[in-house]
Amino acid sequence: MKVVLVVNPYASGVSEARVRAVEVELEGVASTTTLLTERPGHAIELAAAADGDALVVLSGDGGFNEVLNGAPAGLPLGFLPGGGTNVLSRALGLPRDLEAASRQVAEALASGRTRTISVGRVNGRRFGFSAGIGLDAELVRRVDALGRREDGKRPGDTAFIASAVRLLAERRARFEPALEVEGHGRAAFAFVANADPYSYAGSIPIHVAPEARFELGLDLVAPRRVRAATVPRLLRHVVTGRGWRDVLHLHDLDRIEIGCDRPLPLQADGEDLGDVEHAVFEAERGAIAVLV
């Protein structure tokens, strides 16, 4: 058996020692070739050219997303936590501890154990766990604007929370309807979930759409408007998925089409995809097999 291991050496949880520890686990069950990414988008290219029986990626969610967008159809994929948040690997049930996660993926390789899941697609870009227009995409952009540390690694959850507080303060916690969900009315911003949790804040899972499942279609959660008085309900809903009535919630959809009043930021798996005035979200049911 041959396995290709794609590694993002700039991910916050990746070091030479950790890469070697992963290689030891994988080499116990398969011949392993390790490839290091060198630039944004490189993991897409490496995944597309992968010559093996399985592809494992050691990265954060950005690298996971690139592999999803490059991997050949039918190739089993493994996602090892090498970033700060690692939403996809955690939502799939893998431990946050890299050694334990590597051992589980190696065992899945040895036994041929996979799980078939759906993925989302927005304007042609695949995503594993979430995408959004407006609020969360703006937060992603603001954190990216902070730049990277001297070691090339991105800011963590603390920077994200601080950016969220500043954004709410700047807007005076007021978000008026700015987009139209085709067939369902207007909303201030939109969260699209392929799984639950939608994300994590440290060890705390964010249950924006608690009914979302990897085996189903997409869920949409779109607050119709936000005012200062409703921010506590918004925060409760973001954490628990409950506690707010003035929100559009759609479950297990194959397609969601959204038009924006003006260009709004779009994100997929925490990656900034630029500003859009129109977005089409589609579910690819049963799209990939993952090693779990």
Side-chain angles (χ1 to χ4, degrees):
M1 183 188 301
K2 298 193 324 183
V3 174
V4 175
L5 172 64
V6 173
V7 177
N8 176 7
Y10 302 105
S12 59
V14 173
S15 65
E16 290 185 11
R18 289 187 169 190
V19 172
R20 184 55 194 150
V22 171
E23 290 173 332
V24 168
E25 292 291 344
L26 297 179
E27 287 168 355
V29 299
S31 171
T32 303
T33 299
T34 300
L35 305 174
L36 303 182
T37 63
E38 300 173 356
R39 59 187 182 279
H42 196 195
I44 297 177
E45 301 170 19
L46 296 178
D51 179 19
D53 300 299
L55 173 61
V56 177
V57 55
L58 170 59
S59 179
D61 288 305
F64 295 163
N65 181 270
E66 289 190 9
V67 167
L68 282 177
N69 280 278
L75 186 66
L77 305 178
F79 300 97
L80 294 177
T85 309
N86 308 302
V87 178
L88 183 58
S89 59
R90 292 164 71 182
L92 286 168
L94 288 172
R96 297 181 71 180
D97 178 77
L98 179 57
E99 183 177 346
S102 301
R103 189 176 306 116
Q104 288 192 16
V105 168
E107 291 171 355
L109 276 167
S111 62
R113 185 176 67 245
T114 63
R115 174 184 177 185
T116 300
I117 68 169
S118 301
V119 297
R121 187 184 290 272
V122 55
N123 291 357
R125 176 84 176 204
R126 272 183 166 181
F127 59 93
F129 55 92
S130 73
I133 297 178
L135 178 62
D136 65 337
E138 175 67 24
L139 291 176
V140 166
R141 180 169 299 174
R142 290 187 177 214
V143 172
D144 286 347
L146 297 175
R148 294 177 179 267
R149 305 196 304 255
E150 291 183 1
D151 57 5
K153 301 181 188 302
R154 297 175 72 176
D157 290 335
T158 301
F160 192 88
I161 293 170
S163 296
V165 171
R166 284 194 294 270
L167 177 57
L168 288 172
E170 289 172 15
R171 297 282 186 87
R172 297 183 180 179
R174 187 183 184 95
F175 296 83
E176 295 295 335
L179 53 84
E180 179 84 18
V181 181
E182 184 174 316
H184 299 281
R186 294 180 58 73
F189 46 85
F191 304 110
V192 178
N194 187 51
D196 176 64
Y198 187 86
S199 186
Y200 291 85
S203 61
I204 301 173
I206 306 300
H207 299 291
V208 170
E211 296 178 350
R213 296 291 182 272
F214 280 119
E215 288 78 14
L216 301 178
L218 301 174
D219 278 27
L220 171 75
V221 175
R224 299 190 185 277
R225 59 170 44 84
V226 179
R227 304 288 175 82
T230 60
V231 166
R233 290 198 292 273
L234 168 63
L235 295 176
R236 180 183 176 189
H237 185 96
V238 165
V239 174
T240 68
R242 300 185 298 273
W244 200 8
R245 294 182 179 179
D246 194 22
V247 61
L248 173 62
H249 181 199
L250 305 174
H251 175 60
D252 192 15
L253 301 181
D254 286 302
R255 179 184 172 93
I256 303 164
E257 189 165 352
I258 295 177
C260 306
D261 296 352
R262 61 183 185 279
L264 292 176
L266 170 69
Q267 69 86 17
D269 286 346
E271 294 298 296
D272 186 351
L273 302 185
D275 289 345
V276 297
E277 295 184 70
H278 183 258
V280 176
F281 301 83
E282 298 171 294
E284 293 185 52
R285 295 179 186 259
I288 62 170
V290 293
L291 297 161
V292 294

